[in-house]
Amino acid sequence: MSGPTQCFGPRGVRRGAALTLVFAGVLATGAVTGSLPRGGAKSEALASRSVASTVDQGEVADAAARAVADGKSGKEAAEEVVSRSGDRWGAVYDERQYEEFEQALDGSYTGVGIAAKRSADGQVEVARVQPGGPADRAGIEPGDLLRTIDGHKVDKRPVAEVVALLRGDRTEAAAGSTVVLGIGRGAGLRTETLHRARLTTDPVTVRRIGPPRSAASASPSPSPSSSGAVMIEVDSFTRGSGAKVRDAVRDAPSDAGVLLDLRGNSGGLVTEAVTAASAFLDGGLVATYDVHGEQRALYAQPGGDTDRPLVVLVDGGTMSAAELLTGALQDRGRAVTVGSRTFGKGSVQMPSKLPGGSVAELTVGHYRTPAGRSVDEHGITPDLAVGSKAEQRAETVLSGLGGGS
């Protein structure tokens, strides 16, 4: 097991994301086989402070080996070393957990079928409900507010942490386990006990949107003569999601702009983010990243749509691979970005199998946008900072660019 990976957030948060690995699977294979393009220039020590503070993979493996030889848990010994290392994103997983993450890369996860977001007034709101899932069967609807999970208030918690609680990641809850939700709707509050299930999601949703409406307008849809615009929502970059974005752009009416919604996107496979970037770029640099100081590069494929008006929606839940895509489109002057500053996860982890079967992921480098900006701990500041009504403002901007009439 070799090749760089990239993860979403602190351990408790990233297990709640749709998936945890970013530079995993396809990218790891490409790096090993040499099929990924690499920059020719020697790198400077990108983010050397953070890299220098991480623990050596050999040290973690040695600790695990000694523990296994003594009849103890290699995973626990490795976790102790990683926790002392100062590696913010380092983590150790047992075989079952790592298998879960691999399945997540195919869009499979254990949960209740709720996508959450931060509402305009700062509460945790149900953004989408998966049809046929436990939440759907319980009558939970988009717009409902998540007040409590298993009796704990969640209004002040990060959205990614709320998702982790819904999925039971910290307790390693399996399909069939229960979670009790306090749901607010209007002035009412009710309690629902749901049983988690194994669910498969479609990470890309495409829908038509009409021209921006004035406050006096009561019509929710565009006129028959208007092509409007296309909204492409990407929840995460699981396998095949990049191609779905590309196909959605190709299938859109020629005069329709695109609103690319990356809000709450917790990341995914970087190769999928690069494929998505290729839908809007005619080749060229998407990002650089370094592994132990050696700089490499990721490039878009030629032939993307470079003329269609494009606006990208982001927020504090836009993480990792989604930030890489946002940074590329922003730096290349291809899109106007709207929303709030993104999460700030731009470090590269490399997985290695340890004695006893567990897997350690340790930070080995960082990635940068085409203009050389570091994302880690900084995030990406959108061109137009909007707190509330970001989607409405984004539609207005897209219309101003000629993408929705």
Side-chain angles (χ1 to χ4, degrees), residues 285-378:
L285 187 64
V286 173
T288 60
Y289 68 100
D290 63 300
V291 176
H292 295 306
E294 179 187 351
Q295 184 166 303
R296 306 174 186 182
L298 298 167
Y299 295 95
Q301 298 172 356
D305 187 331
T306 59
D307 297 322
R308 188 186 302 273
L310 174 63
V311 172
V312 180
L313 263 172
V314 296
D315 64 7
T318 304
M319 304 170 66
S320 205
E323 292 178 281
L324 182 151
L325 172 58
T326 302
L329 296 176
Q330 188 182 57
D331 282 3
R332 299 279 302 273
R334 181 60 187 90
V336 176
T337 53
V338 177
S340 53
R341 187 167 65 91
T342 63
F343 183 84
K345 168 65 174 71
S347 58
V348 179
Q349 279 70 49
M350 181 174 289
S352 60
K353 194 165 186 178
L354 303 175
S358 57
V359 176
E361 284 191 338
L362 306 175
T363 300
V364 296
H366 293 75
Y367 72 73
R368 289 178 179 261
T369 68
R373 292 183 295 162
S374 174
V375 174
D376 208 46
E377 299 185 14
H378 301 289

Side-chain angles (χ1 to χ4, degrees), residues 51 108 142 177 195 259 293 306:
V51 176
S108 176
S177 60
H195 293 270
L259 183 55
T306 59

Side-chain angles (χ1 to χ4, degrees), residues 188-210:
L189 179 65
R190 74 182 194 275
T191 300
E192 295 285 352
T193 299
L194 306 183
H195 293 270
R196 296 181 178 95
R198 194 70 188 174
L199 302 171
T200 301
T201 64
D202 187 345
V204 179
T205 303
V206 183
R207 60 185 175 90
R208 295 287 293 277
I209 56 177

Side-chain angles (χ1 to χ4, degrees), residues 71-104:
K72 300 177 181 178
S73 168
K75 177 178 181 289
E76 291 180 2
E79 284 180 325
E80 184 176 351
V81 175
V82 173
S83 67
R84 296 196 309 262
S85 70
D87 188 341
R88 182 186 180 194
W89 306 107
V92 182
Y93 308 100
D94 62 30
E95 291 179 283
R96 187 195 67 79
Q97 291 168 338
Y98 206 76
E99 183 179 354
E100 286 274 323
F101 300 153
E102 286 294 323
Q103 291 174 349

Side-chain angles (χ1 to χ4, degrees), residues 3 16 31 39 145 149-150 168 213 259 274 288 353 373 379:
L145 299 178
I149 298 178
D150 289 333
R213 289 177 290 154
L259 183 55
V274 172
T288 60
K353 194 165 186 178
R373 292 183 295 162

